[in-house]
């Protein structure tokens, strides 16, 4: 018996489901609900957000399963319609005045609210943009027969052109965190797009030099940033509180100092479930890792990181197995999104990175964030579910 070159779809639909991915998500869901439930013990909440998170996970799982049933070709064909639709939703948030449907929450008008359900279009736009970029790159490479510096330059500007509109709309909402996530996605996709390093290397070097210069200027010459960029000193509160949180512990540095206290007090084994003592406002959202560090300790935090590492490794492994360029590029873009979210969220709780409003994937409380991630999971499941398998056949 030998394997034929003939490709056939697997007959039993259960075999086509990526059960490893589902198992990893189930473990993350248990950790999320458990940690959020423990965060309720501080008495600062009247609602039980852990129950809501269970509902969000159930709805997200249904959404991912529905997307899985659509073939990658159908998803790819409808990408630009979804892209335009969510761009319109982002524009609506900018031009529609404050109403019960478009409320201002925490100083930002980034949500559409329909009764108890709030939808944040920028969260979904991240995943839709990955699909759009994957389609653009795959189509460009498919129809480029003589690859050259000029064709790579065209591809580079295609990626920038598709990304610049949602980035600008999200940045106008004062959502720097999501804008940085999109930048990370762009970098990840560019690295696997086939663009020559003669274009990427100067770009990355220039970005590194400019970024380093801005950071050094913020540290040593903050007045220079104020004069050149028009940034007011009060707007640099988060940067100053990141560099020296204890000098700003009564204001912008409060979250960070309390987070460091919570994680440090957890020591090696943690204080145990529902035994957190350090008060951190809204610790069930962006600072959920502080709850993990305090109650599960260093070992619990390491276990969570290992689960994330297993998820990332599994997705990269899947990217090496799928056949189409579109599928590979989407998975790498989605991995870039997850890696940036994980590094930024954990980094900001331990003072390695400035504080931004970026949740910890699959762990932090939130409907839009979780649902958008589950949309990406649905696409990944679709890529696995609809890929053609090599079937054994007997020689005559």
């Amino acid at each position: 018996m030998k394997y034929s070159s003939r490709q056939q779809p697997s007959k039993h639909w259960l075999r086509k489901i990526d059960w490893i991915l589902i198992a990893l998500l189930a473990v993350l869901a248990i950790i999320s609900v458990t940690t959020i439930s423990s965060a309720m013990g501080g008495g600062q909440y009247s609602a039980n957000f852990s129950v809501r998170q269970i509902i969000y996970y159930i709805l997200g799982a249904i959404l991912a399963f529905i997307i899985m049933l659509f073939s990658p070709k159908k998803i790819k064909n409808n990408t630009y319609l979804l892209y335009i639709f969510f761009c319109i939703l982002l524009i609506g948030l900018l031009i529609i005045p404050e109403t019960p449907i478009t409320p201002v929450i925490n100083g930002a008008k980034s949500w559409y609210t329909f009764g108890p359900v709030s939808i944040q279009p920028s969260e979904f736009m991240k995943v839709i943009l990955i699909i759009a970029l994957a389609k653009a790159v795959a189509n460009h490479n498919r129809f480029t027969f003589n690859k050259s510096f000029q064709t790579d330059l065209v591809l580079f500007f295609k990626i920038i052109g598709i990304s610049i509109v949602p980035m600008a709309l999200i940045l106008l909402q004062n959502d720097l965190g999501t804008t940085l996530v999109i930048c990370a996605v762009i970098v990840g996709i560019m690295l696997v797009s086939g663009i020559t390093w003669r274009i990427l290397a100067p770009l990355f070097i220039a970005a590194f030099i400019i970024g380093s210069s801005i950071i050094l200027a913020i540290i040593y010459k903050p007045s220079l940033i104020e004069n050149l960029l028009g940034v007011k000193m009060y707007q640099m509160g988060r940067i100053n509180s990141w560099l020296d949180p204890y000098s700003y512990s009564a204001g912008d540095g409060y979250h960070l100092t309390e987070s460091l206290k919570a994680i440090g007090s957890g020591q090696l084994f943690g204080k145990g479930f529902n035994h957190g003592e350090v008060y951190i406002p809204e610790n069930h959202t962006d600072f959920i890792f502080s709850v993990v560090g305090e109650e599960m300790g260093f070992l619990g935090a390491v276990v969570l990181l290992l689960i994330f590492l297993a998820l990332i490794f599994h997705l990269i492994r899947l990217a090496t197995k799928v056949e189409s360029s579109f599928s590979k590029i989407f998975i790498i873009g989605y991995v870039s999104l997850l890696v940036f979210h994980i590094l930024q969220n954990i980094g900001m709780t331990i003072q390695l990175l400035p504080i931004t409003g970026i949740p910890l994937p699959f762990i932090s409380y939130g409907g839009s964030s979780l649902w958008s991630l589950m949309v990406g999971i649905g696409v990944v499941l679709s890529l696995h579910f609809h890929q053609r398998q090599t079937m054994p056949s007997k020689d005559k």
Side-chain angles (χ1 to χ4, degrees):
M1 179 182 294
K2 62 192 315 186
Y3 287 96
S4 67
S5 59
R6 181 170 55 93
Q7 302 291 316
Q8 295 181 355
S10 179
K11 293 181 179 180
H12 202 292
W13 67 273
L14 287 174
R15 297 177 183 175
K16 298 189 291 182
I17 297 177
D18 190 345
W19 292 109
I20 297 178
L21 178 58
I22 292 177
L24 290 170
L25 291 176
V27 173
L28 290 173
I30 293 172
I31 295 175
S32 173
V33 173
T34 302
T35 308
I36 292 172
S37 176
S38 183
M40 301 295 100
Q44 58 175 304
Y45 312 106
S46 58
N48 190 340
F49 291 106
S50 61
V51 175
R52 294 185 184 181
Q53 187 76 346
I54 293 174
I55 297 173
Y56 291 155
Y57 253 108
I58 293 173
L59 295 176
I62 294 172
L63 179 62
F65 180 78
I66 292 173
I67 295 173
M68 182 190 74
L69 298 179
F70 290 92
S71 68
K73 183 178 180 180
K74 289 183 178 179
I75 295 173
K76 184 178 176 182
N77 290 340
N78 291 282
T79 297
Y80 292 144
L81 289 176
L82 292 171
Y83 175 88
I84 294 172
F85 174 73
F86 278 96
C87 281
I88 292 174
L89 290 181
L90 290 172
I91 293 172
L93 290 172
L94 296 175
I95 63 176
I96 299 175
E98 182 181 356
T99 65
I101 296 179
T102 56
V104 175
I105 302 176
N106 296 327
K109 187 152 66 73
S110 302
W111 290 265
Y112 288 98
T113 301
F114 305 96
V117 179
S118 295
I119 302 296
Q120 189 175 3
S122 60
E123 289 291 336
F124 293 91
M125 191 69 223
K126 293 183 295 188
V127 179
I128 300 301
L129 181 61
I130 296 175
I131 303 175
L133 291 176
K135 177 179 179 178
V137 173
N139 287 346
H140 176 90
N141 290 335
R142 179 183 178 186
F143 295 107
T144 299
F145 302 103
N146 296 310
K147 187 177 183 299
S148 64
F149 182 87
Q150 287 73 22
T151 60
D152 285 358
L153 199 60
V154 169
L155 177 57
F156 171 80
F157 283 111
K158 283 182 180 179
I159 294 174
I160 297 299
I162 294 173
S163 305
I164 195 68
V165 174
M167 281 183 64
L169 293 174
I170 293 172
L171 195 57
L172 287 173
Q173 297 178 6
N174 295 322
D175 191 349
L176 179 60
T178 302
T179 306
L180 293 175
V181 174
I182 292 178
C183 290
V185 167
I186 293 172
V187 171
I189 289 179
M190 281 187 176
L191 290 175
V192 296
S193 65
I195 297 177
T196 176
W197 278 100
R198 288 189 294 165
I199 297 175
L200 295 182
L203 178 68
F204 291 158
I205 292 173
F208 175 78
I209 293 174
I210 294 173
S212 301
S213 300
I214 292 176
I215 292 175
L216 291 174
I218 290 173
I219 297 175
Y220 297 107
K221 290 287 184 180
S223 59
L224 185 64
I225 297 296
E226 182 180 9
N227 295 330
L228 292 180
L229 302 180
V231 178
K232 303 301 180 182
M233 296 303 294
Y234 73 88
Q235 294 176 315
M236 298 176 61
R238 284 190 174 183
I239 299 296
N240 294 328
S241 63
W242 165 52
L243 299 173
D244 187 12
Y246 292 99
S247 296
Y248 299 86
S249 59
D252 292 322
Y254 179 76
H255 274 83
L256 180 54
T257 54
E258 294 303 293
S259 174
L260 293 173
K261 185 188 303 182
I263 295 173
S265 64
Q267 299 186 30
L268 185 61
F269 298 104
K271 300 175 181 177
F273 175 74
N274 207 22
H275 284 78
E277 300 171 347
V278 180
Y279 174 79
I280 304 176
E282 304 294 324
N283 59 350
H284 63 301
T285 55
D286 297 344
F287 279 83
I288 194 71
F289 187 76
S290 304
V291 180
V292 174
E294 181 180 13
E295 299 189 1
M296 302 181 187
F298 176 78
L299 293 180
V302 169
V303 170
L304 178 59
L305 290 175
L306 289 176
I307 296 171
F308 277 131
L309 184 61
L311 175 63
I312 299 301
F313 176 79
H314 178 72
L315 291 174
I316 294 175
R317 182 172 175 269
L318 179 60
T320 64
K321 295 173 63 177
V322 294
E323 296 180 353
S324 73
S325 176
F326 167 79
S327 302
K328 294 178 185 292
I329 295 170
F330 173 82
I331 294 175
I332 295 302
Y334 189 69
V335 167
S336 301
L337 182 150
L338 291 179
V339 169
F340 185 85
H341 263 269
I342 295 168
L343 293 180
Q344 172 60 38
N345 180 274
I346 295 178
M348 76 180 190
T349 63
I350 57 177
Q351 204 187 349
L352 287 179
L353 295 169
I355 294 177
T356 57
I358 294 180
L360 188 60
F362 304 109
I363 303 296
S364 293
Y365 170 81
S368 290
S369 174
L370 179 59
W371 291 339
S372 66
L373 291 172
M374 295 304 279
V375 168
I377 291 296
V379 177
V380 174
L381 290 173
S382 172
L383 301 178
H384 187 278
F385 188 81
H386 293 278
Q387 70 174 328
R388 300 179 70 83
Q389 306 291 334
T390 302
M391 302 298 291
S393 62
K394 293 183 178 180
D395 292 336
K396 293 183 179 180

